[in-house]
Amino acid sequence: MKKTMTFVFAMTFMTVPTAFAEQHNHDISAEYIAGFLAGANLTDGAIIKNINSGNESDFIQRAYRTRLGKKHPDSQATYLAGFCLPKDIDDETVVSNVSEALESRTYPETMQRDAIVYNTIKSLYPCE
């Protein structure tokens, strides 16, 4: 009986990390994803607007040109973040697609949920 209990106890601890890893993805709500996207659109849009204003120092303007080239898309606020949402898709569809992708993938349990959402969005909607 003692050996059986030890075996059951050991098996429990071997499966716990997997269960927590799966649960880790499930604590990301649709509201969190929508807020993440709204924040990215707002901040990245402001950055692009600031770049286009010409109010940056010569050094910053050279740095932007070096990394982005002479032209970057003004229409896609999240371009600098590495993901581009199609124009013909609404926010609810994007949130739904990201939620579904999160259900089918696993990430390390130590990975922060913002990084999980960001990596999932980048993989679903890369910029061309």
Side-chain angles (χ1 to χ4, degrees):
M1 180 71 169
K2 190 174 182 181
K3 288 182 181 182
T4 304
M5 290 301 288
T6 304
F7 177 73
V8 171
F9 188 71
M11 291 304 294
T12 302
F13 280 108
M14 288 174 56
T15 60
V16 167
T18 306
F20 282 135
E22 290 172 6
Q23 183 180 2
H24 185 64
N25 288 358
H26 294 291
D27 69 349
I28 299 174
S29 67
E31 291 81 14
Y32 183 86
I33 297 167
F36 184 94
L37 289 167
N41 278 321
L42 177 66
T43 56
D44 292 355
I47 290 168
I48 288 176
K49 194 179 292 183
N50 197 22
I51 292 170
N52 291 334
S53 71
N55 293 333
E56 299 290 334
S57 69
D58 289 339
F59 172 77
I60 296 294
Q61 288 179 11
R62 278 194 315 274
Y64 287 141
R65 282 194 308 269
T66 301
R67 285 166 181 74
L68 300 176
K70 296 188 186 264
K71 194 89 169 139
H72 55 83
D74 296 330
S75 61
Q76 187 57 250
T78 58
Y79 173 78
L80 296 176
F83 65 90
C84 295
L85 303 176
K87 290 183 180 187
D88 60 341
I89 193 170
D90 63 353
D91 292 343
E92 286 181 26
T93 304
V94 173
V95 170
S96 175
N97 290 345
V98 172
S99 293
E100 287 176 17
L102 287 171
E103 293 290 328
S104 66
R105 298 177 185 172
T106 57
Y107 291 93
E109 69 178 79
T110 56
M111 190 174 209
Q112 298 292 323
R113 68 179 173 170
D114 56 349
I116 291 171
V117 171
Y118 175 66
N119 288 330
T120 303
I121 293 170
K122 274 182 58 172
S123 71
L124 290 174
Y125 302 105
C127 295
E128 293 186 22

